[in-house]
Amino acid sequence: MSVRLLHFPRPIIRNAPTRLSKAVRLRPLSTGSPHFPCVEAHATRESKLKENSRASTSSPSQSESGPEPTYARPNPASYKVYHHPHPLPMTYSPEPLPSFDIAYEAWGTLSPSRDNVILLHTGLSASSHAASTSANPSDGWWQKFIGPGKALDTNQFYIICTNVLGGCYGSTGPSSIDPSTGRPYATTFPVLSIFDMVRAQWCLLDHLKIDKLYASVGCSMGAMSSLATAWLHPDRVGKIVSISGTARSTPSSVAMRFAQRSGMSLVHWMIKTILTPPPLVLMADPNWNNGFYYDALPPHTGMKLARQIATITYRSGPEWDQRFGRQVRPRPASEDPSTTRTPALCPDFLIETYLDHQGEQFCLKYDANSLIYISKAMDLFDMTLPALQELKLTPSTSSPSDADLPANSSHSFHKTSHSKSHPPPLNPPPHLLDLAKGLQPLAHIPTLVLGVQSDILFTVEQQREVADALRMAGNNSVSYYELGGVWGHDTFLIDVINVGGAIRGFLS
């Protein structure tokens, strides 16, 4: 496969002062030197990385990590890998991916007729390790939802979870070796779509001789994949579960992910050039090096900040108010307790130390290029009919004609997903009818849509939109629920009773 190296121009920073003028130069109030443990920690980490490119990080304690599951790089011996030797057509590339690997794990027992399979889709940065296995007994990212009698009941179903195409936990992605060069793909890897990821999963299912899924289940980005899986092969999916996702990425979600990609340059430059305006794009980080950093220092500081920004979008203010309040770190033992506590410029509030810890735990466990590529695929996701037609995407079977859809959106609102406390908007968004047309191939598939009222990343309005568009498309088997609670977007990882109960009831 011939590839073109992507060109990422660096922003030009004009008139950037490299030092403070004499008029504004800070004067020390004491003869002691300033002490910044957070900056020193960064320098220490960078020094260790230079000594050892495979530096390890310590496991967080429960008090530091909180109720959310931890993410960890799985051992390659703990998952299976399917190698697909044939070219895979790509949505945005004129040439296919020549071959690829998909890492996967499974739980439960496959029925003799192979009709009890649930494909579980991950969020952006998760591995295939959704639950413990004999090969990897450590807890997975959805540990409390998979097992005997749980939401995904292994007494009844055979659950498969993959690391997505573009990832870095066993599946082919930017960090994988390009067979034509013997070097990592880096940014010569083709731009991805959610549909590309799903096509790769269907290749795995074909290899496993699974003709039809009992259900396609996903949360967050996985909810996008769940819809796309059924859309590509509507006759091969029995049920759909979409939790805290969307069928059309909104500008606000795109903006949040852009901020994460942009954040990778911010801290690195601010540490090295005080008061110099940081560049506005991730790719300006010198450590990123146009994506070719695999033999050098990775952009770990930017990855840390990207994770901190992401964590803010994953949770909610009310939860943090309950969990941290305005508490600060305990006084150092060396401080005189009778004096006024001196605030620190480094993380001091407990919410700051929490974000710092989350970023620290993540920055060396995930590949920066995978974050760029997969988050961009989420931004590009749009299942409105015009968007699908522009990409020349078609499902494997024929779908109802446009004539089967009501002529105007106002007439179609006799089928809505809203409760009395959440009535449909008086002025539906102009894209809703196009979304309904795009979702027509799913008109006959029973679908569960779950939203969380405290979610700021994939808001409940987006969940209602998915449910309404499906019903407008003629799907009379849409179940829609809105959950309360304070956990925000991460509710799907934590609320076993409500999320798990809704899934279990729908699948049974």
Side-chain angles (χ1 to χ4, degrees), residues 118-120 141-142 144-146 149-153 156-157 159 214-219 239-244 447-450 479 481 483 491-493 495-508:
I118 292 176
L119 181 60
L120 174 62
W141 58 266
W142 231 30
K144 296 180 180 179
F145 294 81
I146 300 172
K150 297 182 180 180
L152 302 187
D153 189 351
Q156 183 178 1
F157 302 115
I159 299 101
Y214 182 87
S216 175
V217 177
C219 316
K239 294 184 177 184
I240 301 170
V241 176
S242 172
I243 304 170
S244 295
T447 303
L448 170 66
V449 181
L450 282 181
S479 300
Y481 301 101
L483 303 181
T491 296
F492 74 86
L493 295 169
D495 192 349
V496 178
I497 295 176
N498 292 301
V499 174
I503 295 172
R504 184 169 56 251
F506 176 74
L507 293 179
S508 63

Side-chain angles (χ1 to χ4, degrees), residues 117-403:
V117 177
I118 292 176
L119 181 60
L120 174 62
H121 304 274
T122 72
L124 188 158
S125 57
S127 71
S128 60
H129 191 62
S132 59
T133 63
S134 57
N136 185 356
S138 62
D139 285 356
W141 58 266
W142 231 30
Q143 182 71 30
K144 296 180 180 179
F145 294 81
I146 300 172
K150 297 182 180 180
L152 302 187
D153 189 351
T154 51
N155 288 333
Q156 183 178 1
F157 302 115
Y158 184 68
I159 299 101
I160 299 173
C161 182
T162 80
N163 181 224
V164 297
L165 186 70
C168 56
Y169 293 149
S171 295
T172 297
S175 61
S176 302
I177 298 300
D178 180 350
S180 67
T181 66
R183 306 283 295 172
Y185 279 104
T187 46
T188 66
F189 198 75
V191 174
L192 283 168
S193 74
I194 297 294
F195 289 98
D196 297 332
M197 301 175 189
V198 168
R199 286 194 194 98
Q201 291 174 319
W202 274 116
C203 290
L204 168 65
L205 294 174
D206 290 340
H207 168 72
L208 298 175
K209 295 181 172 54
I210 296 169
D211 181 62
K212 185 173 182 177
L213 293 171
Y214 182 87
S216 175
V217 177
C219 316
S220 190
M221 184 188 81
M224 301 178 179
S225 301
S226 186
L227 293 170
T229 296
W231 191 91
L232 282 177
H233 295 283
D235 291 338
R236 298 181 64 182
V237 176
K239 294 184 177 184
I240 301 170
V241 176
S242 172
I243 304 170
S244 295
T246 187
R248 173 185 173 273
S249 281
T250 63
S252 62
S253 295
V254 172
M256 292 177 185
R257 286 186 289 270
F258 169 75
Q260 294 174 47
R261 295 191 294 267
S262 301
M264 290 187 63
S265 63
L266 183 58
V267 171
H268 182 91
W269 279 67
M270 290 190 72
I271 287 174
K272 290 186 175 292
T273 53
I274 298 175
L275 294 186
T276 297
L280 298 179
V281 289
L282 173 157
M283 284 71 77
D285 185 342
N287 283 349
W288 186 69
N289 191 32
N290 283 352
F292 292 86
Y293 52 80
Y294 294 106
D295 295 327
L297 195 68
H300 59 100
T301 306
M303 282 292 284
K304 177 178 177 178
L305 180 59
R307 186 61 173 184
Q308 291 172 342
I309 295 171
T311 301
I312 294 171
T313 72
Y314 296 158
R315 310 311 284 256
S316 76
E319 184 217 358
W320 283 336
D321 202 32
Q322 294 178 17
R323 187 168 166 187
F324 302 112
R326 289 184 52 81
Q327 296 180 74
V328 295
R329 280 180 179 271
R331 279 176 180 259
S334 58
E335 272 193 20
D336 183 353
S338 65
T339 62
T340 301
R341 185 183 186 279
T342 303
L345 296 180
C346 282
D348 203 19
F349 286 99
L350 291 190
I351 181 59
E352 293 178 307
T353 63
Y354 167 77
L355 291 175
D356 184 70
H357 176 79
Q358 290 296 312
E360 193 74 26
Q361 289 299 309
F362 182 77
C363 67
L364 298 178
K365 291 180 179 177
Y366 199 72
D367 180 55
N369 283 335
S370 285
L371 176 65
I372 295 170
Y373 274 82
I374 296 176
S375 67
K376 191 66 177 182
M378 295 174 71
D379 293 349
L380 295 168
F381 191 63
D382 185 349
M383 295 190 74
T384 59
L385 184 61
L388 296 169
Q389 290 175 334
E390 182 180 355
L391 297 177
K392 298 179 174 57
L393 294 171
T394 55
S396 63
T397 56
S398 60
S399 60
S401 66
D402 289 353

Side-chain angles (χ1 to χ4, degrees), residues 448-464:
L448 170 66
V449 181
L450 282 181
V452 178
Q453 293 172 348
S454 58
D455 191 341
I456 64 172
L457 184 58
F458 291 94
T459 63
V460 289
E461 286 77 16
Q462 293 178 69
Q463 318 312 315
R464 298 171 189 169

